[in-house]
Amino acid sequence: MHGLANLSPRQQLLAGNLPRRLLQLALGLFLYGFSIAMLVQAHLGLGPWSVLEQGLLRLLPLSFGQVVVLVGAVVLLLWIPLRQWPGLGTVANVLAVGPALDFGLWVLPEPESLGMRIAFMVAGVVLNGVATAVYIGSQLGPGPRDGLMTGLAARTGRSLRLLRTGIEVTVLAIGFVLGGTVGVGTVLYALGIGPLAQFFLRWVVVPLPDVRPLGEPEPTPS
């Protein structure tokens, strides 16, 4: 869909257009973290994983961004029994989103009026959709949470939609119990992020002229 290819980690690096893809990956991950900061400052509800991370923040002597890195690393470890291989983008996702979130919390003011909080919420969800499309479109590997879901689907035979719903409801419930913010922003995020990412993806997928199927030999020069 939209020119996305199913690549091994090695293919991701050898598929061509690497400088542009690395730049796009970095931009997408920065915008992703920054968009979460906008939702945090709006105080109107977060996405399921952010609710969990905000709940854990109450228990750990860490910044919000550091908790995001920690959760991403734990999720990545869960790839091991699933025999999933992370790409460069997967590892970068774990390491980069948290610092970008902390930067956003540092530079963004907390809006006081309800109108500004709503504006932050809507802008944060839209920007998160753009950022998701941008980093996925770099074709350098999925984020750790997406990879966990696709890995579970491959190993269990369950539908991706069922597993995604089950995982996100679980992390949302745990985060809510721990004190994470659930609200209208949570609903808006859940309903909007998929369609938004798909909508923007058509413009940001990097074409890969050198993609070859796994196991296919290099063409012999004529």
Side-chain angles (χ1 to χ4, degrees):
M1 183 181 293
H2 300 307
L4 290 175
N6 184 19
L7 306 175
S8 71
R10 181 175 180 274
Q11 282 183 313
Q12 291 164 12
L13 295 175
L14 299 178
N17 282 329
L18 188 59
R20 173 188 165 181
R21 291 163 63 213
L22 289 172
L23 180 62
Q24 182 166 317
L25 174 67
L27 176 63
L29 294 178
F30 174 80
L31 293 178
Y32 193 94
F34 196 87
S35 68
I36 296 175
M38 296 183 72
L39 291 170
V40 172
Q41 297 295 65
H43 297 288
L44 290 171
L46 304 170
W49 285 96
S50 296
V51 172
L52 173 63
E53 290 152 354
Q54 190 181 51
L56 291 171
L57 181 62
R58 297 175 179 269
L59 305 177
L60 301 171
L62 301 172
S63 70
F64 203 140
Q66 289 169 336
V67 174
V68 170
V69 172
L70 177 62
V71 171
V74 171
V75 171
L76 192 55
L77 289 175
L78 296 177
W79 284 35
I80 296 174
L82 299 174
R83 299 178 184 176
Q84 293 274 96
W85 290 96
L88 175 62
T90 310
V91 177
N93 187 298
V94 172
L95 298 176
V97 171
L101 192 161
D102 279 343
F103 174 78
L105 292 176
W106 180 58
V107 300
L108 289 171
E110 281 197 49
E112 296 183 0
S113 69
L114 179 59
M116 284 300 298
R117 290 168 62 199
I118 292 173
F120 264 51
M121 176 189 68
V122 173
V125 171
V126 173
L127 183 59
N128 194 272
V130 173
T132 300
V134 169
Y135 88 73
I136 289 176
S138 71
Q139 308 214 55
L140 284 166
R145 297 157 185 80
D146 290 330
L148 175 64
M149 287 180 270
T150 57
L152 284 170
R155 296 289 289 177
T156 66
R158 303 283 185 177
S159 75
L160 188 61
R161 179 177 298 179
L162 175 64
L163 288 166
R164 184 184 187 101
T165 301
I167 291 173
E168 295 199 348
V169 167
T170 300
V171 300
L172 178 63
I174 295 172
F176 177 72
V177 169
L178 294 176
T181 305
V182 177
V184 64
T186 309
V187 177
L188 182 63
Y189 187 95
L191 296 178
I193 194 62
L196 283 168
Q198 185 171 354
F199 176 77
F200 290 113
L201 196 57
R202 70 188 71 184
W203 289 297
V204 295
V205 173
V206 181
L208 303 178
D210 299 329
V211 168
R212 299 180 184 87
L214 283 170
E216 182 177 296
E218 295 282 337
T220 303
S222 57

